Amino acid sequence: MTAIASASAPFAAAPPAAALLGWYDRNRRSLPWRAAPGEVADPYRVWLSEIMLQQTNVVAVIPYYESFVSRFPTIAALAAAEEQAVLSLWAGLGYYARARNLHACARIVAAAGGFPDSESGLRALPGIGAYTAAAIAAIAFQRPAVPVDGNVARILSRVFAIAVPLAQARRELAAGAAALGADRDAAARPGDFAQGLFDLGAGICTPTSPSCGACPWQAGCAAYRRSRVAEFPAPKPRKQRPLRHGVHFWLADGQGRVLLRRRPPQGLLGGMSELPGTPWRAEPWGEAEALALAPAQANWTPCGGVRHVFTHFELTLQVFAASVKAINPEHGFLLPVTELEDAALPSVMRKCVAVARAAG
Ligand code: SF4
């Protein structure tokens, strides 16, 4: 959310509010809490719908909204209700703190004789954050505010080609919203402009495959002009996967067999076969401590390393190989090397086998 402020240089080329407003006049969604064209919005209904729409989609909200306004047609009626009555009418909509805040807010507003008409006054009420305050201020009180929820943020990221991922783009989004709101046509109809943005995000500038061909802002959209719509919003930076280390041992006997063991049935690679080895841990293994865990005393030769990426971590493994006359398969089983192809070896172990065999 932002109140209207002057637009900084990179956001100077805002698409024209008139194009969005004209499109909104022709295509606006008919929603039960919306005032019809030319009507004045009822702050109680705007507030009730905005609280319900926090974390819940329009389709799910409509029946709840209708039950609430039918049971509590005014804020005074809602304020006078028992909290339990409010909570039971809310049941199924989830995030029940919203219902408790709704009721607390209704009591404050009813006692004060009405809603405050400024963003700051609205923000001081229970359950009303920055976005909701801006939405109510714009829609119910025609205050110059541009509410930025997830849908509006997506539109801003595209029309201004904001290269920063949304979670880190607070400043850029505020500047973009300010640039849009600074347009005289937006300032003249802030409620319709906000609702036009909501409708554009819901129906045209959708998260995937936006309908740019039907978009009133196509000509002013930086992402569209550069044919880079799919790049915005910028993807979240990938979390760096933690790195783990391990050592595995290729131990062959004089009959062309190799020692394997079975992994525990539960957990990562559960029930699969593997070359015996050390645990996988955050610190690299020293050779001596790793060889202390080898399946036999032998003349171990380092063969090389393997890198493998799992969903939640990356693994580097060192492979050591040795041959002995006979193996006592105390904690595993012996498999002819010729049968390895068909064994239940996960890819990471196949890589280890390949390294060991290449070195042999
Ligand atoms: Fe969104 Fe496409 Fe319109 Fe740009 S042109 S605002 S990407 S729908």
Side-chain angles (χ1 to χ4, degrees):
M1 170 286 314
T2 181
I4 304 307
S6 62
S8 58
F11 297 94
L20 180 69
L21 287 163
W23 173 85
Y24 176 71
D25 290 340
R26 294 186 300 277
N27 298 284
R28 49 180 287 146
R29 287 177 293 175
S30 167
L31 296 170
W33 46 85
R34 275 196 181 164
E39 271 182 12
V40 177
D42 175 354
Y44 170 59
R45 292 180 173 229
V46 173
W47 162 74
L48 182 59
S49 66
E50 287 298 337
I51 300 296
M52 289 183 162
L53 287 164
Q54 294 168 352
Q55 291 126 339
T56 310
N57 65 44
V58 165
V59 174
V61 161
I62 288 175
Y64 282 88
Y65 170 84
E66 287 179 332
S67 305
F68 261 77
V69 288
S70 133
R71 176 94 172 266
F72 308 120
T74 61
I75 192 132
L78 179 57
E82 292 294 325
E83 187 180 82
Q84 275 313 309
V86 177
L87 288 175
S88 39
L89 208 54
W90 193 277
L93 203 52
Y95 299 98
Y96 294 96
R98 286 186 295 171
R100 282 189 289 274
N101 279 331
L102 185 88
H103 192 227
C105 182
R107 294 196 156 170
I108 294 169
V109 171
F115 281 94
D117 64 0
S118 67
E119 277 185 83
S120 57
L122 288 159
R123 279 204 71 173
L125 293 169
I128 299 186
Y131 161 78
T132 306
I136 300 170
I139 299 167
F141 299 111
Q142 299 305 313
R143 293 285 176 182
V146 177
V148 180
D149 65 354
N151 283 331
V152 176
R154 182 175 62 252
I155 298 170
L156 290 169
S157 80
R158 290 172 176 164
V159 296
F160 294 112
I162 295 172
V164 188
L166 293 182
Q168 283 106 57
R170 233 179 114 102
R171 263 201 353 230
E172 290 81 356
L173 293 172
L180 291 182
D183 185 308
R184 254 191 290 175
D185 293 308
R189 296 174 60 191
D192 287 344
F193 187 70
Q195 292 174 110
L197 284 171
F198 299 161
D199 288 6
L200 192 75
I204 301 287
C205 196
T206 47
T208 51
S209 312
S211 306
C212 300
C215 179
W217 274 353
Q218 192 190 81
C221 174
Y224 183 82
R225 282 202 316 266
R226 298 173 198 175
S227 302
R228 291 174 55 198
V229 169
E231 294 171 39
F232 298 96
K236 289 184 204 152
R238 280 239 201 110
K239 251 202 181 165
Q240 186 109 30
R241 291 187 182 89
L243 185 59
R244 292 192 197 163
H245 304 266
V247 177
H248 283 263
F249 302 99
W250 170 275
L251 184 62
D253 70 6
Q255 297 170 58
R257 299 178 301 179
V258 65
L259 180 65
L260 296 179
R261 69 182 180 187
R262 199 100 54 210
R263 291 180 63 86
Q266 309 296 336
L268 183 70
L269 309 175
M272 303 289 279
S273 298
E274 66 178 7
L275 299 175
T278 66
W280 299 341
R281 69 180 194 189
E283 307 82 44
W285 288 85
E287 188 170 320
E289 59 171 345
L291 291 181
L293 300 176
Q297 289 212 332
N299 189 17
W300 290 102
T301 310
C303 305
V306 154
R307 202 170 178 93
H308 193 80
V309 178
F310 291 98
T311 316
H312 300 297
F313 66 96
E314 275 187 50
L315 182 64
T316 59
L317 298 178
Q318 296 304 313
V319 182
F320 283 76
S323 292
V324 291
K325 265 198 188 146
I327 299 170
N328 174 13
E330 214 183 326
H331 300 298
F333 60 96
L334 291 165
L335 190 78
V337 172
T338 51
E339 292 177 23
L340 277 171
E341 193 62 36
D342 299 323
L345 288 174
S347 331
V348 60
M349 278 303 133
R350 290 192 181 277
K351 290 182 189 174
C352 291
V353 165
V355 164
R357 295 185 77 180

